[in-house]
Amino acid sequence: PSPTEDDTSAEPSAATLEPTTESTPSPTAATAEPTIAPTESLSTSPVATSTPPPTLSPAIPTPFPTGVVPPGPGCPSEIPVSGTSCEGEFLQETCFYGSIDCCGTSVVAIDCTCVFTGEWVCSDPPDDCPTPCPDEPVCPPDDVVILSCDDPALQGCPLGTLLCPRDPCDFPPIPIPSGPQELCGCDESGNWGCEQQLCPTEVCDLPTPSPIAPTSPADGVAEAAACIELNLMCDVTGIGAPCCEDLTCAQVVGASGESFYQCREGEGPFVLFRSGEALVEPEPPAILAGDMGLRFSKIRFSDGNAPEGVSLPMSPVMYPINTDTMAWMQHSQCPSIVTEELCYECVEGGYMLGDVVEWVGGSPMHPMNDSSSVYWDEFREVMAATNARRNDDPETPMDPQLIMPLPDLWIGKTLEEIAECVHDEYPGLHQSTLLQSYPLFGLPFDLRIVPHFCETEFIRGVVMLADLNTWAVATVGPINFGAKWYAGRARPEEVAWYIHENFEGEDMDEYDEAAFGIPSDVVEGVLDMRLTQATDFTAYPEGSPDHPSWPAMHSAASVISLWLPTVLNMSEEDFCQAKLMDWAVSYARTVAGVHFSTDNTAGLNLGQTIIARELPNHLAQRYNADPILVAAKVQTLRFDWEDFPNSDCYKNHMVSLEEDV
């Protein structure tokens, strides 16, 4: 399970702007990263300061371990002071000073590195060697440089954590801790050595299916599926030619782990198969008792008329969108109508829309003929947010942080300006603005995730960040729109206009809440808005977009809080700012009156889930990253957006009424 927002173990460790470097490893000496003083923010210039370390004696004994530069040639003879400048020729050099007896080994006392910023950064002497030493030798700490071994009995010291697939046949791999990366120890000559541990391997067997001879047109489906499996077996084993020369096929693993296939004969259409049968169009979600039947119906045509035989508004049985509905709806002004059969990205990535909807808690609530339904609580929230914006006094505007936390880049904006920030803007604009607030060079990239080949990196630096920002939006978009057209949730303006049309002029003293099922305060609230058209409920002249409300696309595309801390070592506050930017872009759509808050959290969680699945392979294919390491780090960064309002990051960026006054 993903850690919750309050679980401090899920937060990345505070990182620094100075890139960490490692000395060259050797068979006789392990090396370690220096401890680097954390900085306050990614948007500030790095300044490392510390108390000058004490002068230690004796000096490091000779011979020096391979790759370690002794004080003298290449290193200052005196221990540098952290934060002082270093000469260019020392850049990325690590120098070692002094030694400490660590109960069976001698380890470097202080290491100093000349980092990219041109400053020395020095570690503190290790403080986790036991004092006094026990009778038995003790494994040294993980983060020290071993100079020599004093006791051959010191064996089997674990170093690092090995991450292996939970099951070698899993795809994508699910990494779990599987013991140490290395086992280290002393030999009789006093040398320190390590043996790398490897993940177990296993050959994943594929079943050999039997071809099925067709006896009727319906059996052709089973024959095609069997043919696909035989083709796959031929490809895997390299034996023989495909059994159907004109059949092009590919195997895809669904979200549930079940295999299904996509194939086409010649230039014909692609067809999906699962378990030897053609996939049928998805069954509509169950319609709950008391459902008022309101679904997304903001469907317009360029000539103003629906095609002959088409009846609007849409009803619950018309969702998920099927082939027949798609045939006429694709001529409307509704954008990007996605069905399971026509979603190439869904098929390619193994996303079955029914599974996708379940990932974020199942289909959303629809208007219910029950005044106690939680749906009406959701409607109250969006009505309160849009009324706060509508009623805000431009001369003395309220502080938006009374109703939503803001990233630093949005401080000073009014509610009206916040709603306009997310009005037809370029996808990913605000996440790119966050990236622009960082320095162009010197960012603390996690070099374990994306290796750098140069001291100053541009292509694998800011260019990669721009690429990931755009890639993330494009990756979540098709699946998110597929979920929209699967669930068909009505926009808030549609529900508000339904209430206005049915109850305008109603004497609320005689309103029968039990009979109509809509809470009286909701009806009164809508009537008090004095709408002249549905779009008046929103901040925009054209109203809500012409596609269903749930899950919100602005929210699903707001995933910088997952992919950015994956490729960077971010401080807690910088990580928080990334979360706040994603949340602000999401909740601003509620302030604008075009989304329910559950549209937002479903979109945020869906986007996070998709990027968590896709990022390891994307970084591996494009930037030669290790997908196991990427997947492992991603899992430490995940959280449930439903829990975000309970986090310190959220609470510390809100203001109370007393503070506002």
Side-chain angles (χ1 to χ4, degrees), residues 81-215:
V81 176
S82 290
T84 58
S85 62
C86 48
E87 299 297 331
E89 60 265 25
F90 295 147
L91 197 60
Q92 295 190 80
E93 294 285 6
T94 299
C95 303
F96 301 93
Y97 299 90
S99 64
I100 291 177
D101 176 46
C102 196
C103 304
T105 56
S106 293
V107 304
V108 167
I110 291 178
D111 58 78
C112 297
T113 303
C114 183
V115 299
F116 289 136
T117 57
E119 297 172 321
W120 285 106
V121 175
C122 296
S123 68
D124 294 324
D127 58 3
D128 42 4
C129 293
T131 304
C133 291
D135 295 336
E136 299 294 327
V138 177
C139 291
D142 288 348
D143 57 349
V144 298
V145 177
I146 311 296
L147 297 174
S148 64
C149 281
D150 304 325
D151 192 334
L154 186 57
Q155 298 289 329
C157 293
L159 184 64
T161 301
L162 183 66
L163 297 170
C164 296
R166 180 188 62 185
D167 183 335
C169 298
D170 277 345
F171 182 82
I174 301 174
I176 59 171
S178 306
Q181 284 182 314
E182 296 178 281
L183 291 177
C184 308
C186 298
D187 62 20
E188 295 182 355
S189 302
N191 296 319
W192 178 261
C194 295
E195 180 178 349
Q196 188 171 5
Q197 305 299 295
L198 301 176
C199 293
T201 58
E202 181 178 327
V203 176
C204 302
D205 296 326
L206 292 175
T208 303
S210 301
I212 302 172
T215 57

Side-chain angles (χ1 to χ4, degrees), residues 32-103:
E33 294 182 356
T35 302
I36 300 179
T39 56
E40 294 184 359
S41 170
L42 286 171
S43 60
T44 60
S45 300
V47 178
T49 59
S50 69
T51 304
T55 302
L56 300 176
S57 61
I60 289 182
T62 56
F64 292 98
T66 304
V68 175
V69 182
C75 284
S77 57
E78 299 292 331
I79 301 176
V81 176
S82 290
T84 58
S85 62
C86 48
E87 299 297 331
E89 60 265 25
F90 295 147
L91 197 60
Q92 295 190 80
E93 294 285 6
T94 299
C95 303
F96 301 93
Y97 299 90
S99 64
I100 291 177
D101 176 46
C102 196
C103 304

Side-chain angles (χ1 to χ4, degrees), residues 577-588:
Q577 286 296 318
K579 295 177 186 176
L580 290 171
M581 181 58 77
D582 283 344
W583 181 269
V585 170
S586 174
Y587 199 79

Side-chain angles (χ1 to χ4, degrees), residues 249-285:
C249 59
Q251 183 182 33
V252 181
V253 180
S256 63
E258 182 179 13
S259 293
F260 62 99
Y261 309 98
Q262 166 189 282
C263 74
R264 66 191 299 182
E265 187 170 3
E267 298 299 320
F270 279 100
V271 180
L272 297 181
F273 294 91
R274 178 196 281 156
S275 303
E277 296 181 356
L279 289 178
V280 298
E281 292 177 340
E283 292 291 332

Side-chain angles (χ1 to χ4, degrees), residues 439-576:
L440 194 61
F441 297 102
L443 287 173
F445 283 94
D446 188 339
L447 301 184
R448 301 170 306 163
I449 301 299
V450 177
H452 284 186
F453 304 131
C454 301
E455 295 174 8
T456 303
E457 189 57 78
F458 178 65
I459 300 302
R460 286 174 170 250
V462 67
V463 172
M464 180 186 71
L465 299 183
D467 165 52
L468 290 174
N469 192 43
T470 303
W471 165 82
V473 177
T475 299
V476 303
I479 295 95
N480 181 77
F481 265 70
K484 280 177 175 287
W485 293 108
Y486 185 98
R489 192 183 211 186
R491 291 278 178 171
E493 71 175 56
E494 295 181 280
V495 180
W497 190 244
Y498 171 88
I499 293 172
H500 173 88
E501 289 281 87
N502 283 275
F503 299 104
E504 184 184 22
E506 180 84 14
D507 183 351
M508 294 306 298
D509 290 336
E510 298 181 4
Y511 176 76
D512 189 345
E513 184 175 293
F516 293 110
I518 305 176
S520 58
D521 65 298
V522 170
V523 176
E524 286 188 273
V526 170
L527 297 181
D528 286 345
M529 296 177 78
R530 289 172 165 61
L531 305 176
T532 61
Q533 54 189 352
T535 56
D536 290 348
F537 187 83
T538 76
Y540 311 138
E542 74 282 6
S544 303
D546 294 353
H547 51 78
S549 192
W550 180 99
M553 178 60 195
H554 271 76
S555 303
S558 294
V559 286
I560 197 171
S561 56
L562 181 64
W563 65 257
L564 186 60
T566 299
V567 298
L568 295 183
N569 290 316
M570 299 182 76
S571 69
E572 184 176 350
E573 177 56 25
D574 286 321
F575 187 30
C576 176

